[in-house]
Structures are given as C-alpha cells and as structure tokens.
Amino acid sequence: MNSSRPYLVRALYEWIVDNDCTPHMLVNAEHKAVQIPQGYASDGQIVLNVSPTAVRHLHMDNEAVSFEGSFGGVAYSLYVPVGAIMGVYARENGQGMVFDLEPSLEGDEQQPEEQARPDDEGPEPPQPPRPNGKPSLKVVK
C-alpha cells in the first residue's frame, strides 16, 4: 500500500490555507535528497513557510514537494522528498500534524546503533477486542 504521508501533506496544506492561516512545513534537513539553502537549518531541521504568498511554483506530488522560496532576499529552488517532511502545521495556532520518521526511499539503511537491541521490548501486544464490539481510538499528541 502507498504511503499516506503525501496525501496528508496536501490535505493539511489545503486545509490550513482554506482557513486563512500560514502553512509551515517541518523538514529533516539531513535527509539524503533534501535540497535547501545551506546555513538555514538548525539541529538538523528547518521550518519552511510554504504559504501561497511566500513561495512560487509550488508542486506537491507523491514523491516530493518542490517550490521556489526566498532566503535572505535570494531566490532558491527547494526540493523536499515526502519522507523528509516531519510535520505540517499552521503558524498562527500550531494546528496540524507531525509524522513518524520513515526511512528514505534511496536505500538508506539503519546504522548499527539504530537497529533493535536485545533489551528492546519489541512491539506492543495487540489489544483485546472491546466488549461492545466498537472500535476505539486514542488521542496522539
């Protein structure tokens, strides 16, 4: 099944713009294929204002988000693979969504120190069905 992330990114962007807010994208600046101006990332991340008034030629597809943006008065072409997008939110109120990390599609493999260790507990056991047979949801913040 295809990743839901590109669909969610586009939906969140549209929802934020439709509500007259400013969409911001949190990006993993250290992702292999990210193309952003040097010197603007902090702690391996960068927040990009992707509002219609801040960017030109915005293109979102299932592979990446690309656009032209200005940094320090200089125009740059940016390319952000969908896997590098860590979140999309409205600047004004913080509403949006943060995504789980997912491996890039370029064949990045986990480093040995990132692989599961014997003391890891592993995945949570499945929850028993609810007595009334209705599905349950939990709030994720």
Side-chain angles (χ1 to χ4, degrees):
M1 189 171 220
N2 293 336
S3 171
S4 61
R5 187 177 302 205
Y7 302 94
L8 293 170
V9 167
R10 290 190 297 267
L12 287 164
Y13 175 86
E14 188 174 321
W15 174 68
I16 292 167
V17 170
D18 285 353
N19 283 285
D20 297 320
C21 291
T22 309
H24 280 200
M25 198 178 331
L26 177 63
V27 174
N28 175 359
E30 296 173 347
H31 188 280
K32 192 174 187 175
V34 167
Q35 296 175 6
I36 57 172
Q38 296 296 319
Y40 290 94
S42 175
D43 295 326
Q45 301 176 354
I46 187 168
V47 175
L48 301 172
N49 176 349
V50 288
S51 70
T53 58
V55 301
R56 294 179 45 181
H57 308 295
L58 178 66
H59 179 76
M60 296 183 187
D61 61 26
N62 290 351
E63 305 302 319
V65 174
S66 60
F67 57 92
E68 292 177 11
S70 180
F71 290 79
V74 178
Y76 291 92
S77 291
L78 287 86
Y79 180 85
V80 180
V82 171
I85 300 172
M86 299 167 63
V88 178
Y89 63 93
R91 177 183 65 200
E92 291 78 2
N93 57 23
Q95 291 189 14
M97 184 179 288
V98 176
F99 302 108
D100 289 332
L101 291 177
E102 70 180 34
S104 70
L105 300 175
E106 281 78 37
D108 288 349
E109 295 186 19
Q110 288 184 331
Q111 298 299 321
E113 61 271 12
E114 295 175 343
Q115 292 177 353
R117 294 176 186 87
D119 59 345
D120 287 346
E121 294 179 16
E124 289 184 27
Q127 297 295 321
R130 295 179 53 97
N132 59 7
K134 294 182 181 177
S136 65
L137 298 175
K138 66 178 181 179
V139 176
V140 179
K141 291 187 179 191

